[in-house]
Amino acid sequence: MWYYSCISVLIFFCLYFVMYNELFYNTDEDQVLLLKACSHKLQQNEDRYEDDFEGLFSKSRGRDLHNVLIDNENYTENCCFNFEKPPKTYIQLLDFYKNLSFPKDERFLWDKGWNIQYDPQRFNEKNKLEVFVVPHSHNDPGWLRTFNDYYHHKTKPLLENIIQNLFTFPDLKFIWAEICYFSRFYDTQDLITKERIKKLVHNGQLEFVTGGWGMPDEANTHWISLLIQLTEGQSWLKQNFNITPINSWSIDPFGHSPTLPYILKQSGFQNLLIQRTHYSVKYNLGNKRLLEFLWRQLWDTKGDTELFTHMMPFLSYGMKHTCGPDRTICEQFDFRYINKNTIDRFFRRGQDEITTKNIVKKSNLLVDQWKKKAELYRTNALLVPLGDDFRYQEKNELLNQRNNYERLFYYINRQTKFNVNVRFATLQEYFEAVHKHTNYKFPTLSGDFFTYADREDDYWSGYYTTRPFYKRMERVLLYYLRAAEQLNAWNVKYKNDRFEKILRNVRRQLSLFQHHDGITGTARAHVVEDYSIRLKNAIKDCQYVMEMNIFRLMTRNSYEKMDYNKKYFDIDDSNWPCNGSIRSPIIFSEEDGNSKFLVFHNSLAQWREETVQFLVTAPFILVSDLDGRPIQAQITPVVIWDKITPTFLTKLYNLHFVVKIPPLGMKTYILNLKSEKTKSKHTYFASNIISNTSFIAVNIENYPKELIKFTAQREYIITLTNGGTIHFNNNGTLKSIKTDRIREPWPVSVQFYEYGTNWWSKQSGAYLFLPNGPGKPLVGNFVPYIVYTEGPIESSVCVGLPLVVHCTRIYDNKIEIRNIVNISPLNNFEISMRIATTIKNKDVFYTDLNGLQMIKRNYFHKLPLQANFYPVPTAAYIEDENTRLTIITAQPLGGTSLSSGVLEIMLDRRLSQSDGRGLGEGVLDNQPTEQIFHLLFENLEGCEKRVENHPAGALTLAAYRATKELLNPISKFVYVSLETALRKDFGTKYSPISDDMEIITLRNIINLERNSTEVNTGVIIHRTKVLECSAHTGNLNKSVQLHNLFPFQTYGSSIHRTTLTFLKNLGEVDIEELQFCPMDTKALIFKHIPFKI
Ligand SMILES: [Zn+2]
């Protein structure tokens, strides 16, 4: 009987195999290969699921990092990214989504249960099912409680229990992920305990998985922050245990990004585990034994970026979802409550202690679940995680689990009928068992796992936008940290531990906030406040390090005399994300003299010529450089908006001028205060028009009266210096844009929309977006105030709407939108900005993943509205053959393209209730937030061709520059101590790198070599892929001349290649020139001998 069923399963599979592949590949050649593969399988009757054509399956776990790096040293024209040749992978997730039907019964998969049938003969004496039971505890660094609160009341006690049990039972194993907690615990242990814990690590009982500072969100995070948090955790492990984990464990982030495997692969990782993916994706991959795959980057044609990935198959990582498909059975094997008569026990039937009386029945039940789960995977190794959130806090909890499971293991391992071998294990042991079977092949996969849904229409697209104020603050901190690290690294010859300690703490605070309830905005309000204090303090710390280092670098012989408590420079803090209080220093206040020195720092490795802005108390100012050359400047009024009404300040002015700063360098400018009589002819007053029928009083001291006019509502045109024009509607929003490269203006409109929730059904919360229908335009029945300002350097149009002050700023031929969003009076209300154009993008649009790469999206009409929103961490675009609209965002938000020609970005959300995912409260702590966007309208004539089925996109060079500049503004310092003369500039003799590259990291790193006095500077350089267009100008060069870029080359150093975390030295390089393919990231360590002071 079993024979017939086997044959029928084989025939079924073969038919399915043909059908399945038809979905992806329709060429005749592929079909022949498929049929050959199937006939081969029927003859062999071995592994039904393998194939090996076109490299779509691979035996390896992905190519070894070292070989990839060595190979890449010799390339020139062998770069992977080719828009005319899409890589072939067995599963391309966008195509996979196109072919999924999302039937109704899958919507209730976890309620009705996953009916898995298995072949009872699959495992036998020679081929036993190897079960790896892996105890773990998931510890959120902040969610319902703060990080500190959790540590003291949950994590510390549970770690004590875990460590104690591991000491007692050598057969017990444990894995731990969050180094923010473990480092805190370990650092407070006595020396003997520390030594014993080290033994647990080195004898394989305790494995650190991932080893990052936390378990980061993968939707809103920037890839540089992801790398910082991984480096921070792994560096701690290297210093304390001399280990570097190679297995990643990402069980709770709400959707998964390929950016993480990109970083992990180049940090030396070999395996990755993920959990939260769409239920239909799990179901369809699982039924085809495709839950383990080689995850490749979207552009990779060679497999260099592959990382072996295990996807968990069921609803959750908690133990009632990990033994098999039936949670009512799995929960019987959670022995947490067996010795207790608690109410918990009352509601958990079947959780009995394992005894000689019930062991037969219990073993049968458990093995049946394991075999069902094993049916979803290819090898005979089965992973059974045993844990949950903050597990093993109670004294006997782990002891009970261990003792009862040991009884089961003892019995099951000795029953020949089961053909099962089970033990406690670490994640490493599971992956080793998977890779031991070199005859198994795994499919290749590319794409991402957004947008996540755990059931029905519950799509987790709300958290892409929740609490945008803090999302913006994270980007501000990232900028400050990188700039501070860079400035501190230039002072490498005088190593300063004080600043190193400050920056290490800042990295840890930034890393903590990458947590999947941090930057996601999904923690309780008091926890958000705790993160907020940490972020604010970290920003202040960076500012201090920057100010002190600017003093050291820009003054001569200043190091010995430096007073750490003195304020030499005052940083202009206008990047702060909130509205209201002015945080910029006000120049020429009463105690100031008649001149002020300003220093500007450019943290990018290209020259920058950009408009900067300051607040000044007098309008008659001459701006010049230190050679005495006057600089053109502009004075505009300072306008404060009280919701819809503008107020013009009487004694404060905005000063704008253009600075030119060298790559990674600094330059000094000087402001001289003049009188009306001696005023500079290089400084211009902007003209202003206030449009409204209700008059407001404007009385600005020393501002020419004729330059402030009042009109009724009217349209308005601003002319750019490059000949383009920006046309505004009479309501103060964009109407059309004509750039220098097009003949006819492009029509465009910007409108705000609202979404609500249904009171009679499930409602949106911090995680979920459950709108009550399509968005409705926000229309006001009043005539708004509009303020037009036009000058030679900066022009702007600002309109006061009830929930948004919407400003369009035009400077450096750029279009910038600044929205100050304040939706606090409303409840169950979400607001978006919709930009409509005539671009014929149909259903296709592109969004970025973690600021690293662009991915193609399709609007799927078969899915609800909320399923079609995706993370927009830095950029999104729509395009047709000739035109493209790109939106660059300074803060991560959710976005989509609802219909052809339209890009929509969510701005804020305020919700009264929890959405049933455990938070237990709504989102009601909204803060007025200044959100910044850049818009680029570009002509694509003469750009490289892209085939339709390529899954990746790429920004144009101008858009890439815009993202870099928006996230890394020029830092502005006011010299307040005036005791020593300033240098004219710093870094002018060093060369810029190619415009499509970026210095990701430039910082001092810990020297891990004992007895070495060298100071190590870590450098990471990344080259992106830009859409190459004949008309786009810029400096593009695939190589970097290291000695031209870094000044510390000049005083004796050796250069070493390393992993992205700087933890594995891959050998000294003697080349001065490094070659880069698009999407390459290379890490280097410069070793110097520090100067003695
Ligand atoms: Zn979590």
Side-chain angles (χ1 to χ4, degrees), residues 138 140 252 516-517:
H138 178 68
D140 294 304
D252 203 21
H516 53 266
D517 293 307

Side-chain angles (χ1 to χ4, degrees), residues 641 644 646 691-693 713 730-732 780 782-787 798-802:
W641 289 82
I644 56 170
S691 151
N692 196 288
T693 46
Q713 274 196 304
N730 63 3
N731 64 3
F782 72 104
V783 180
Y785 280 103
I786 306 168
V787 178
C798 290
V799 52
L801 302 169

Side-chain angles (χ1 to χ4, degrees), residues 138-140 215 252 254 317 389 515-517:
H138 178 68
N139 283 240
D140 294 304
M215 189 184 290
D252 203 21
F254 327 132
Y317 51 82
D389 290 355
H515 165 47
H516 53 266
D517 293 307

